[in-house]
Amino acid sequence: INLRNINLIGITGTNRLRNAPVRLPTGQVVIVRIGDLLDDGRVMNISSNSLTYAKSGRSITLDMPRG
């Protein structure tokens, strides 16, 4: 993972109510849900292996790191 970028750390919760711990470039870890703000965008979807948020009219997807 590139520590200068936003990184998806994991996915927790049930299919209906998923949470995603995300590491910010500052090193801070925040837990987000659908509808929360992330990087001045809005979290739109959390699947079993990715998180998608909308920022400035574009869609950004964060995938789980391979390991």
Side-chain angles (χ1 to χ4, degrees):
I1 63 175
N2 184 341
L3 299 180
R4 293 182 185 178
N5 295 333
I6 296 175
N7 293 284
L8 179 61
I9 297 173
I11 305 290
T12 62
T14 64
N15 286 341
R16 293 185 59 204
L17 188 61
R18 287 195 170 127
N19 301 312
V22 176
R23 185 189 181 281
L24 303 177
T26 62
Q28 180 184 10
V29 174
V30 295
I31 297 176
V32 297
R33 288 193 251 176
I34 293 175
D36 288 350
L37 290 176
L38 175 65
D39 189 31
D40 295 326
R42 181 88 44 199
V43 177
M44 303 305 288
N45 185 43
I46 301 174
S47 71
S48 61
N49 59 359
S50 66
L51 175 147
T52 302
Y53 66 102
K55 178 181 176 182
S56 302
R58 57 189 183 125
S59 179
I60 301 167
T61 300
L62 303 175
D63 294 317
M64 286 287 293
R66 297 180 186 160

